[in-house]
Amino acid sequence: MAEIKLMKGNEVIAEAAIRCGCDGYFGYPITPQSEVMETLMLREPWKTTGMVVLQAESEIAAINMVYGAASCGKKSMTSSSSPGISLKQEGLTYLAGAELPCLVVDVVRGGPGLGTIQPAQSDYFQATKGGGHGDYHLLVLAPASVQEMNDFVALGFDLAFKYRNPVMILADGVIGQMMEKVQLSEPVPRWSREDIERISGDWALTGRQKGRERHISTSLELDSYKQEIFNHKLQAKYRLMEANDTRHEELSCEDADYLFVAYGSSARICQKAMQLCREQGIKVGLLRPITLYPFPKIPTRTLAERVKGILTVEMSAGQMVEDVRLAVNGLTPVEHFGRYGGVIPTPEEIVEALKKQFIGA
Amino acid sequence: MELTDIIREENLVYKKSPLLTDNVMHYCPGCSHGVVHALIASVIEEMGIQEKTVGVSPVGCSVLAYNYLDIDWAEAAHGRAPAVATGISRLHPDRYVFTYQGDGDLASIGTAEVMHACNRGENIVIVFINNAIYGMTGGQMAPTTLVGQVTSTTPRGRDVKLNGFPLKITELLAQLDGTGFVTRQAVHTPAAIRKTKNALKKAFENTKKEKGTSFVEVVGTCSSGWKMTPAEANRWMVENMFPKYPLGDIKDI
Ligand SMILES: Cc1ncc(C[n+]2csc(CCOP(=O)(O)OP(=O)(O)O)c2C)c(N)n1
Ligand SMILES: [Mg+2]
């Protein structure tokens, strides 16, 4: 029977991790996501599923513990918020370079610097454009509800292992802190030694067994021609992600004259703004990117051919708008509306922004 | 007498551990890294734990250690090896996990990771090669560089006013309740090599006994970085490094 509960987004991340058979969580406290590790410590999954939970000395250590665990073919994860995610960038580029699967949850808060503990979407660039050094990408999922906080944990691990690539859940302080009804996933057991052998047997560090070559998790290649070949391989992987695992949602787009493009909690607010617009006779639709990398370029472009204007709504000074403009490539005007520094936009001001940009007062 | 008369099984006094690959080592003549690699290989071989051991290599001259020892390896970011080893060991509690790190890696950029791994008493072995210099990047000052020692970033010698003091991190780590065995060794003579091998063996055996973190420092030479011949480097090490970094067990519980 489906288990339906009223829970906080952050708590759900912890619950979903245990239920999807996660092997290891390594974290460091930071608002607004500390409930993830707190929930895990209360639940003591090492006594039930055997999942390891460890409070690391820093975000740097936590992501490197993930690197070690991921090297073993284990489902491993960490979570943090913006300043902590900045510290994890070194580890993330090493994980991407060594082609290791893992899950990283970023419950974004406003910046720069120590900034604010209030929600923001100002780390879109960092999440989608690599974040650390080198030509690499994370696969980035953007939940817009507590339900998706649940669903994207298992999905995130699936995609991470499918592509041998780190996956990020890019949430924000609203999604992390708000309570909603959620249908929790059915628990699945952790992978056995045989499962790991079957799924990751050609690369996982399990101890060099007789009859196989030693396995090495490394991102080092001193020969630049070989490094270039490896970079080609990464790019080919990203094209595959783009072809097969780009996700988005369209709401009321069939008859729309105008389009909101928004992700995460901004998309939730846009739903209300859309309703207000339609009450005033303005037909607006919503395109919600679910994967921010790869970005849903084709649906964006297809809708751009039909609408008179696109307004991106972000809790940032305008980051995703660049990807929308690249996808639209001049087919229709693309404007940005943003509140930032921890301020959440109201539906009313979004409606006003749309009218001001495209319709005239 | 022909050479083939001499090279016979019954005359064999020493042979390369089968765990050491046939890859030509990239280390400079006189470097200590190769000797320590060979010792680790022999210990793993003698204990019969090749299939149960995972190594973590650092950023430094030994970044390519995984080319030389035929076991599974993870290559860590600069200084992060103890955190990587923590991840491996926590999820593979029945494995022998060790890090292999230089002084820049372990005692400068990775100070926090090594402190906390030792303080948690991670059931791992940490092998620390102290050559008092950043070998890989061309001989810059390390945290363990001696006062007055000339390096490319202390061209007039290490000045404590500018650079502070040589860091005796091994003594610091011995203070932590998580460490079970902390020792400082060297590989400049056959006797020292034998002692280091015994220390490494004890360290790996401690993993089985779950005695907390075992820490083996090896004071080593970097003839290229120090700009000396291998023989001069050995002498300089005995005369200058050993007084500051005395050999022997610091903690054994
Ligand atoms: C984050 C980062 N900073 C700096 C470097 C450059 N770097 C490579 S090796 C090294 C020092 C290595 O010295 P040590 O750990 O003493 O090892 P050795 O080469 O002497 O064995 C440095 C600074 C790097 N690779 N990564
Ligand atoms: Mg050194």
Side-chain angles (χ1 to χ4, degrees), chain A residues 90, chain B residues 33 59-61 78 102-105 109 131 133-137:
Chain A
E90 177 197 47
Chain B
H33 279 306
V59 172
C61 282
H78 199 16
D103 39 74
D105 194 81
I109 196 168
N131 56 13
I133 206 155
Y134 284 20
M136 165 147 254
T137 39

Side-chain angles (χ1 to χ4, degrees), chain B residues 32-34 36-37 40 56-58 62 65 73 98-102 127 129:
Chain B
S32 311
H33 279 306
V36 182
H37 286 12
I40 296 173
V56 183
S57 72
S62 48
W73 283 95
F98 74 95
T99 73
Y100 185 102
Q101 304 176 255
V127 182
I129 309 296

